[in-house]
């Protein structure tokens, strides 16, 4: 007797997957993904028409964002009590296919991470203190250590401050860069609020490194002050041995697992990739911080005084391409 094939998902269950994907973090909140459902196979597509020519000319952050969405997609499938298997694609619009399998009890860990999807948000403020218990810190690092991805606690904060300060000054004075950023940070205000882009109040008037994104008026402290501020944070750098699309996907997926692990422990965080796009900066980070591979993202975390506001999302219907 042959076993029956796994059942396709219902419309309500597809809604659960769509909501989880939609809440993933993405570069400039561009939400560069779609879902194509074929029976028990769900393709995660990268919307390559989403282009940030100045911030992300190679589309690396766009693929990292899809990696983060993939983590949410897998967690949602498991939270529905179904097994799944993921195949990553090295080229084309489809970045991954998640094949939904038979019923399987959701593990406590997966359920806690799934529940954290709705609570995770970018906290671009200083933290009330940086004393994160050792066990929680270790759990975050372990959640990100996956095949090909290394999670590094940076030493040499003086060097990191020097490089981040340098990048911040260059990007703050780059008018073409700032024009592009203005488009992604201006249009979510007021009655005409859009479903994408970063809302102005999500950025605030904070100085580097809390600001997250450097705009024309962002205060940039001198290197010694910046080094002290970095020392008062918990930082992780996500590195990959090579620098291919599969690495970017894996790094984005790992980043989101770490971020959700943080959220599940009532820790807040935000990600910084902006400086990593400045020509030559990643190579200098690798040599001056003795990193084990290409840096893909910096994650800062700690305890928040007040929760950050949720950011907008595109309507769920836009997640599904017209057939
Ligand atoms: C690949 C990637 C790169 C990002 N780069 C930055 C960054 O450099 N600075 C920053 O403040 N936020 C950055 N973010 C956070 C996004 O702006 C944020 O996820 C998005 O605005 C949605 O808001 P939320 O995280 O509160 O849901 C990045 C997110 C991703 C996934």
């Amino acid at each position: 007797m042959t076993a029956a094939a796994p059942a396709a998902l219902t419309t309500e269950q597809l809604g659960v997957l769509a909501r989880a994907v939609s809440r993933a973090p993405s570069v400039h909140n561009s939400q560069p993904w779609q879902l194509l459902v074929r029976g028990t196979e769900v393709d995660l597509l990268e919307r390559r028409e989403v282009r940030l020519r100045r911030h992300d000319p190679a589309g690396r952050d766009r693929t990292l964002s899809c990696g983060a969405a993939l983590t949410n997609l897998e967690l949602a499938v498991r939270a529905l009590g179904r097994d799944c298997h993921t195949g990553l694609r090295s080229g084309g619009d489809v970045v991954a296919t998640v094949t939904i399998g038979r019923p399987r009890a959701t593990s406590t860990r997966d359920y806690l991470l799934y529940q954290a999807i709705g609570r995770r948000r970018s906290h671009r403020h200083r933290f009330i203190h940086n004393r994160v218990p050792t066990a929680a810190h270790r759990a975050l690092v372990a959640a990100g250590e996956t095949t090909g991805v290394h999670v590094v606690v940076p030493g040499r904060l003086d060097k990191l401050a020097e490089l981040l300060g340098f990048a911040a000054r260059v990007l703050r004075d780059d008018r073409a860069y700032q024009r592009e950023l203005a488009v992604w940070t201006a249009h979510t205000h007021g009655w005409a609020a859009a479903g994408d882009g970063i809302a102005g109040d999500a950025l605030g008037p904070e100085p580097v490194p809390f600001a997250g994104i450097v705009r024309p008026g962002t205060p940039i402290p001198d290197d010694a002050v910046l080094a002290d501020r970095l020392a008062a944070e918990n930082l992780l750098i996500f590195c990959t041995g090579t620098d291919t699309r599969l690495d970017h996907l894996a790094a984005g997926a790992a980043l989101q697992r770490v971020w959700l692990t943080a959220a599940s422990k009532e820790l807040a965080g935000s990600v910084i990739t902006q400086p990593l796009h400045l020509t030559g900066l990643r190579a200098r980070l690798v040599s001056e911080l003795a990193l084990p591979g290409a840096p893909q993202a910096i994650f800062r975390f700690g305890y928040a005084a007040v929760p950050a506001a949720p950011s907008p999302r595109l309507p769920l219907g836009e997640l599904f391409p017209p057939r």
Side-chain angles (χ1 to χ4, degrees):
M1 200 173 81
T2 53
L9 296 181
T10 63
T11 309
E12 288 73 23
Q13 289 173 322
L14 287 176
V16 170
L17 304 193
R19 267 191 295 283
V21 166
S22 135
R23 287 312 316 169
S26 62
V27 56
H28 289 8
N29 198 22
S30 55
Q31 302 157 63
W33 45 61
Q34 279 189 314
L35 295 176
L36 187 63
V37 183
R38 300 175 287 110
T40 50
E41 305 218 309
V42 182
D43 289 332
L44 180 67
L45 288 91
E46 179 169 1
R47 288 170 50 224
R48 288 192 285 184
E49 73 277 11
V50 175
R51 289 216 175 91
L52 301 167
R53 291 177 203 279
R54 305 293 305 189
H55 177 91
D56 186 28
R60 189 171 73 230
D61 276 10
R62 194 181 55 211
T63 311
L64 282 161
S65 306
C66 289
L70 179 60
T71 287
N72 282 15
L73 177 59
E74 292 172 328
L75 285 171
V77 172
R78 294 202 195 101
L80 287 172
R82 299 287 292 268
D83 204 359
C84 70
H85 165 80
T86 299
L88 301 181
R89 310 280 186 85
S90 56
D93 288 344
V94 177
V95 292
T97 300
V98 175
T99 304
I100 298 166
R102 300 183 185 289
R104 195 172 89 170
T106 313
S107 69
T108 308
R109 182 183 152 72
D110 281 345
Y111 191 65
L112 289 175
L113 294 187
Y114 170 76
Q115 282 199 317
I117 287 176
R119 291 204 309 275
R120 183 220 56 83
R121 46 196 65 161
S122 293
H123 179 85
R124 298 185 188 88
H125 303 282
R126 47 200 95 199
F127 301 111
I128 34 176
H129 63 77
N130 69 345
R131 290 183 303 280
V132 172
T134 309
H137 196 289
R138 284 205 185 119
L140 264 63
V141 173
E145 282 281 342
T146 46
T147 317
V149 182
H150 301 292
V151 181
V152 177
V153 178
R156 296 307 309 260
L157 294 181
D158 55 332
K159 294 283 176 201
L160 183 60
E162 202 181 294
L163 291 172
L164 293 186
F166 169 72
R169 285 186 286 275
V170 172
L171 294 170
R172 186 181 60 183
D173 297 339
D174 181 337
R175 289 169 67 181
Y177 180 92
Q178 290 298 336
R179 267 198 304 275
E180 179 185 85
L181 187 56
V183 172
W184 285 92
T185 50
H187 66 300
T188 48
H189 289 290
W191 63 271
D196 59 4
I198 307 180
D201 54 9
L203 291 172
E206 293 275 25
V208 172
F210 322 118
I213 302 249
V214 175
R215 293 182 294 169
T218 302
I220 304 172
D222 70 32
D223 293 353
V225 173
L226 185 50
D228 285 347
R229 286 188 183 158
L230 292 174
E233 307 233 308
N234 294 280
L235 299 170
L236 300 175
I237 304 184
F238 289 74
C239 301
T240 53
T242 51
D243 200 19
T244 64
R245 175 161 102 154
L246 292 178
D247 294 312
H248 304 154
L249 267 177
L255 168 68
Q256 177 66 348
R257 266 193 305 278
V258 170
W259 207 338
L260 292 176
T261 305
S264 74
K265 296 179 183 304
E266 309 307 329
L267 285 160
S270 73
V271 60
I272 300 174
T273 62
Q274 189 188 36
L276 305 182
H277 295 282
L278 199 68
T279 310
L281 197 113
R282 291 164 92 207
R284 286 194 60 194
L285 272 177
V286 171
S287 66
E288 307 217 1
L289 274 72
L291 297 179
Q296 306 293 353
I298 301 170
F299 183 63
R300 51 182 289 276
F301 64 97
Y303 291 99
V306 281
S311 54
R313 289 297 190 269
L314 294 166
L316 289 186
E318 293 195 22
L319 265 174
F320 301 97
R323 295 205 176 221

